[in-house]
Structure formats: C-alpha cells, structure tokens
Amino acid sequence: MILQIVEQVAFAILVLFAVIVLVVILSSAIRIIPEYQRAVKFRLGRVVGVVGPGLVFIIPIIETIMRYDLRIEVVDVPAQRALTKDNVEVTIDAAIYLRVIDALKTALTVRNHVPAVAIYAASTLRDVVGMVDLDTLLSHRDEIAKRIASIVDEHVTPWGIKVTAVAIKDIKLPEVLLRAMASQAEAERVRRAKITLASAEYEASKIYLEAAERYSQNPTAVQLRMIDALIEIAREHNLIIVTPPTMEYVALPVAISKKEQK
C-alpha cells in the first residue's frame, strides 16, 4: 500500500515536472510581435526572413529573432563645437529623427543603428557648419538642418534607415561675441531713432514754412492767430496781459473774455 502511494506521488511529480518543462518550452517558442515592430528570424545563424506582426513561433535554441521598432525615434546629437566659415567658434545642440524602414537590411548591415546614425550626424553637422558663415548659420537655420538631414539620409539609406528630419535646437555663441552683437543692435536702434526724429523735424519744418508763407500773404490771418493765442493765455489765471502797441484793438476782446470769466 505504501509502495503504491509512493509510486503515485512520484508519477505526479514527474507529470508536474513535464508540464513545467512544456510550459517553459512553449513560452520560449512563442513570440508576440506588435504592429509597430518587425523581427528578423535566424536559424542556426542563417537568416530565415522577416516575421511579424502577430504570433510568431520559433524553435528554442535553434532559432533566434531580432526585434526592430518601425516608429520614428528621436536621437539627441551631443553638443558639437565647430568653426564657421568666418572662423567663429559655436556650440550647436541638435536632434535627429529616424526610423527603420527595412529591418532585414538593418540587421545585416549595422550593429547598433541609433548611435551609428548619431555619430555620423554629428560629423556631418560640423562639416556643414564649417561651410557657412555665422550670419547664414543664424538666419538660415532651417535650410542648414535640411541639408544635414539630406546628407545623413543618403548615407544611412543602405542600412535600411530613413532620416526624416534634423532639428537644430540651440546655437551657443562666445560671450565676447554676444556682447558685441548686443552693442551693434543697440547702436542700430539709436540710429533708427535719430533718423525717425530727424524725419519728423524735417516734416514739421516744411509745415511751418508753408504756414509762414500763407501768413505772409494774409496779415489778417496773423492777427487772428494772435487773438487765438491771447485767448488761450486768458484762460489761465494771469491777471495782467501785456500786448504790443500794434495790437491795442486786439486786447479789447481779451479783456472782455477775462471779465466774463470772473
């Protein structure tokens, strides 16, 4: 009786062990590839093909797979110090946008595609910056970024990788150059302000000249203008108003205005 119980227990343990081994084998033989990924299958080191998405079966130990994400990846290019065409040292921060379009080419051509593209983009960035001057670099940043993206994309296309864009995030200039540019900008603003003021004075002088010519042609208008000026003065709290002898007839309406105000 005891022997039968021992045999049953041993059989149960054996069955349990077999189930565990089977589960482990199945778990290592089944792979689920998402829609945004592809996998390159190798059998004893030879390429079988690209599999996925969905459920993928592999033979444990004999077959292996390499996964590749087909979505766009953003890679930060390390800050690069470069000399422009006019020998100005700048530090540039950039980012590169890339995606894998052919997983098989990528698996067979390049080992670590992300750092490989980043290093080549950094080298291309320095080369392109060295071909332009500082003013072009600051004013045509988008065009320079497109040129870098085109050069890098042409180089990495055989790797099964597509470079969609390059973004120049920041351009750092030396402190001395920044101060010089600030002084130049301030001088430019002062120049424009002086030109605007001089233009306004010139326009005003032309208007004054036209008014003087019209007053010279019509003395009555001059007297009326004087009356208006005296009336404006009379509105203030002045008690005595002195007028020239030639304007005695003008002082009368002013005195009447003062009397009415009191």
Side-chain angles (χ1 to χ4, degrees):
M1 183 67 179
I2 297 175
L3 183 59
Q4 292 180 353
I5 295 174
V6 172
E7 291 178 354
Q8 292 177 358
V9 171
F11 180 74
I13 293 174
L14 183 61
V15 171
L16 180 61
F17 179 76
V19 170
I20 293 174
V21 172
L22 182 61
V23 170
V24 171
I25 293 175
L26 289 177
S27 63
S28 61
I30 298 175
R31 295 288 187 273
I32 297 177
I33 308 298
E35 183 66 31
Y36 54 83
Q37 288 184 354
R38 295 296 183 271
V40 180
K41 182 187 289 189
F42 296 88
R43 181 178 298 158
L44 297 177
R46 293 185 177 183
V47 175
V48 176
V50 179
V51 295
L55 195 64
V56 176
F57 294 94
I58 63 173
I59 302 174
I61 301 175
I62 296 177
E63 293 181 341
T64 58
I65 61 173
M66 294 179 61
R67 295 172 181 257
Y68 289 94
D69 200 319
L70 303 184
R71 295 174 294 183
I72 293 177
E73 299 181 61
V74 182
V75 182
D76 284 330
V77 179
Q80 300 297 312
R81 299 177 61 183
L83 284 176
T84 61
K85 189 177 181 180
D86 48 354
N87 295 324
V88 178
E89 183 178 353
V90 295
T91 303
I92 303 178
D93 288 332
I96 185 168
Y97 296 80
L98 58 92
R99 60 187 298 262
V100 176
I101 58 176
D102 192 335
L104 184 58
K105 284 185 179 180
T106 305
L108 299 179
T109 306
V110 59
R111 183 175 182 180
N112 296 319
H113 65 282
V114 172
V117 175
I119 293 173
Y120 186 78
S123 176
T124 304
L125 176 63
R126 292 192 299 270
D127 294 340
V128 173
V129 170
M131 294 186 293
V132 298
D133 54 21
L134 181 61
D135 292 337
T136 303
L137 177 63
L138 296 177
S139 59
H140 298 81
R141 181 183 299 189
D142 294 338
E143 295 180 4
I144 294 174
K146 290 180 181 178
R147 188 188 308 176
I148 295 171
S150 176
I151 296 173
V152 178
D153 181 66
E154 182 179 358
H155 182 79
V156 301
T157 297
W159 300 352
I161 298 172
K162 173 68 177 177
V163 174
T164 58
V166 171
I168 298 177
K169 299 186 294 183
D170 188 22
I171 300 176
K172 298 179 181 179
L173 304 177
E175 293 294 334
V176 176
L177 183 59
L178 288 176
R179 288 194 295 268
M181 293 176 65
S183 300
Q184 181 182 0
E186 184 178 0
E188 179 66 20
R189 288 193 295 268
V190 171
R191 184 184 69 85
R192 292 180 181 178
K194 289 183 177 180
I195 291 175
T196 302
L197 181 60
S199 299
E201 292 182 355
Y202 176 72
E203 294 295 332
S205 65
K206 290 198 301 183
I207 295 174
Y208 285 147
L209 181 61
E210 293 177 1
E213 291 177 355
R214 293 193 179 185
Y215 282 144
S216 64
Q217 296 173 2
N218 192 350
T220 304
V222 177
Q223 299 294 332
L224 292 176
R225 184 69 185 90
M226 291 181 180
I227 292 173
D228 289 338
L230 290 174
I231 291 175
E232 290 294 331
I233 296 173
R235 290 178 181 176
E236 302 295 331
H237 299 290
N238 299 323
L239 299 178
I240 299 175
I241 300 177
V242 180
T243 60
T246 57
M247 295 186 63
E248 293 178 354
Y249 67 94
V250 178
L252 180 60
V254 175
I256 294 174
S257 175
K258 292 286 291 184
K259 184 177 180 181
E260 289 178 354
Q261 288 181 1
K262 291 181 179 179

